[in-house]
Amino acid sequence: MKPPPFIYEDPRTVDAALALLAEHRDDATLLAGGQSLVPLLTMRLARPEVVVDLNRVEGLDRIRISDDAVRLGATVRLSTVEADPGVSAALPVLAEAASFVAHPQIRARSTIGGTLCHADPTAEMPTVAVALGAHVHLRSQAGVRTVAAEEFFESVFLTAKQPDELLESVDFPRRSGMTFVYSEVARRRHGDFPYVGLCLGVARDGGVVTAARAAASGVADRPLRLAAMETALVGRSLAAAVEDAAAAAAAEVDPPADAHGSAAFRRGLLRTLVRRLAARLEETR
């Protein structure tokens, strides 16, 4: 199959890219890693008049690590997130989640901005962004606005980004005292699309959970924060709270049913992931 005809633009600066987006708006689409866009083009499910390639835009591939956050530029590759020693030291869960994304060849091209803007409700990095409370920085010719990850993802393949905006970077907070882990259940093998994924983080004092954050993928039309599960964990040890937390997580989701599994099947997988990640966190004490 061949893509429909389009105009290819190759800007070298953010300002040049923003000018193209302002000019063409809904008729333009952004190309970063291309791992989602190129298949959509070849199947003619996407028909943009203009494709704006971000790969040679200066500054979008930078990583900045501070005491408060890890900032990833839009075109940072997921293979870099997985392998960068600074990222792994500052926020190990970013590298861990990236390692679940497809296969090495895909991660070598996929970008953090691309996977967030594609907004697949089963994707790993959006789920981690919601669990950590990440902030997405969107730039247009009018300036920069910052959107919390929970508000950025609106539905399946739908985000708060406007047609004239570019996702410039994303800040993943380094939550002091909290340890985060990620896991998922893939359809057949590691790297396949997951049925369900879970990112869980806790802070503890003397074995008692003092704070918790959790988000799941594959259970809604977007990555979903699991507030009831967080509440079930706080004030108790993980061992004492895990079954109540698993039940709370299953009760607060309404997973889609499709050819790959029923809603009940996905709820059961979510319960399993809660137990799995709680056990891993217990080992980190």
Side-chain angles (χ1 to χ4, degrees):
M1 300 180 71
K2 296 181 180 179
F6 56 81
I7 298 169
Y8 173 77
E9 297 284 359
D10 186 25
R12 305 304 169 88
T13 67
V14 170
D15 287 343
L18 293 178
L20 289 165
L21 293 179
E23 177 183 357
H24 298 288
R25 296 187 65 85
D26 288 325
D27 294 327
T29 193
L30 293 168
L31 171 66
Q35 300 305 289
S36 298
L37 177 60
V38 171
L40 291 173
L41 288 171
T42 56
M43 291 186 288
R44 301 205 170 199
L45 296 174
R47 293 175 173 267
E49 293 185 9
V50 180
V51 172
V52 181
D53 190 339
L54 298 178
N55 281 278
R56 288 193 278 186
V57 173
E58 184 179 359
L60 291 184
D61 60 350
R62 293 174 182 161
I63 297 174
R64 296 182 178 89
I65 299 174
S66 68
D67 291 339
D68 298 324
V70 173
R71 173 171 291 188
L72 301 179
T75 60
V76 172
R77 308 290 176 187
L78 296 188
S79 58
T80 301
V81 175
E82 180 183 12
D84 186 274
V87 172
S88 295
L91 267 178
V93 72
L94 290 180
E96 180 178 30
S99 74
F100 281 91
V101 178
H103 307 289
Q105 298 90 333
I106 302 297
R107 296 195 292 275
R109 292 299 304 167
S110 297
T111 64
I112 189 66
T115 191
L116 295 184
C117 289
H118 186 56
D120 186 325
T122 67
E124 292 83 357
M125 304 313 288
T127 306
V128 174
V130 170
L132 286 169
H135 287 86
V136 176
H137 304 296
L138 303 169
R139 182 178 289 277
S140 69
Q141 288 187 323
V144 179
R145 68 185 181 105
T146 299
V147 181
E150 284 186 71
E151 299 172 2
F152 181 71
F153 303 106
E154 295 183 343
S155 188
V156 181
F157 307 138
L158 182 65
T159 72
K161 187 179 79 66
Q162 297 300 307
D164 64 337
E165 289 181 321
L166 163 70
L167 189 156
E168 188 172 39
S169 62
V170 55
D171 284 347
F172 292 90
R174 299 176 65 182
R175 295 185 173 273
S176 179
M178 295 194 76
T179 302
F180 284 85
V181 288
Y182 176 87
S183 190
E184 64 185 36
V185 180
R187 291 179 184 172
R188 288 180 296 178
R189 57 181 179 169
H190 182 95
D192 285 353
F193 285 106
Y195 291 110
V196 176
L198 178 65
C199 183
L200 172 62
V202 298
R204 283 169 290 182
D205 183 5
V208 175
V209 176
T210 57
R213 291 186 66 92
S217 63
V219 296
D221 61 353
R222 62 195 182 282
L224 191 66
R225 179 93 178 269
L226 301 177
M229 174 184 163
E230 294 170 356
T231 299
L233 288 170
V234 174
R236 306 162 69 187
S237 70
L238 281 170
V242 63
E243 289 304 323
D244 287 343
E252 66 182 316
V253 301
D254 185 17
D258 56 25
H260 301 289
S262 66
F265 171 67
R266 286 183 166 85
R267 286 193 186 94
L269 292 180
L270 181 58
R271 286 175 177 264
T272 297
L273 287 175
V274 173
R275 298 183 186 109
R276 179 187 299 176
L277 293 187
R280 282 184 54 197
L281 286 167
E282 279 279 75
E283 294 174 358
T284 64
R285 287 193 300 175

